């Protein structure tokens, strides 16, 4: 059985192999949604990857999706859109 995470991973790998990860994109492919109970939802190209409780979780999702996590910074708006708080905000106000 294929899960959403598996599909997002496969899509991320296809995009990476095709060389389209950061080129020609108008919107960041990774969205870290506002903090709520249970962490921040992380999506890749609209596919839900799960809930992150810290930056390390986001990095793990990106590695699984085939993104070279060593080659970006957390404030790289071409890659990640942080909604309602940046990479240091993990709890609801």
């Amino acid at each position: 059985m294929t899960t959403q995470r598996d599909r997002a991973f496969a899509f991320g790998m296809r995009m990476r192999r095709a060389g389209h990860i950061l080129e020609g994109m108008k919107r960041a492919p990774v969205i870290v949604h506002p903090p709520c109970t249970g962490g921040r939802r992380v999506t890749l190209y609209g596919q839900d990857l799960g809930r992150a409780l810290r930056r390390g979780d986001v990095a793990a999702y990106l590695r699984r999706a085939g993104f070279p996590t060593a080659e970006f910074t957390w404030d790289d708006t071409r890659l990640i859109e942080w909604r309602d708080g940046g990479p240091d905000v993990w709890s609801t106000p």
Side-chain angles (χ1 to χ4, degrees):
M1 178 177 188
T2 304
T3 66
Q4 281 186 340
R5 229 177 247 172
D6 295 334
R7 285 191 298 273
F9 173 80
F11 183 75
M13 290 301 290
R14 283 194 309 275
M15 293 300 286
R16 182 175 183 199
R17 280 193 295 270
H20 297 296
I21 293 249
L22 298 176
E23 297 174 24
M25 299 183 72
K26 301 212 189 280
R27 184 174 180 178
V30 178
I31 308 285
V32 181
H33 296 267
C36 64
T37 304
R40 296 179 76 164
R41 188 166 60 100
V42 180
T43 57
L44 170 66
Y45 299 108
Q47 294 291 320
D48 191 28
L49 296 179
R51 295 210 178 253
L53 300 175
R54 58 190 167 276
R55 279 192 265 191
D57 296 337
V58 176
Y61 290 142
L62 294 178
R63 277 192 303 274
R64 285 185 208 132
F67 282 86
T69 56
E71 298 176 14
F72 75 88
T73 60
W74 291 110
D75 60 349
D76 185 350
T77 57
R78 296 173 304 146
L79 178 62
I80 302 175
E81 179 182 331
W82 296 90
R83 295 189 177 166
D84 291 346
D88 296 323
V89 178
W90 295 97
S91 60
T92 55

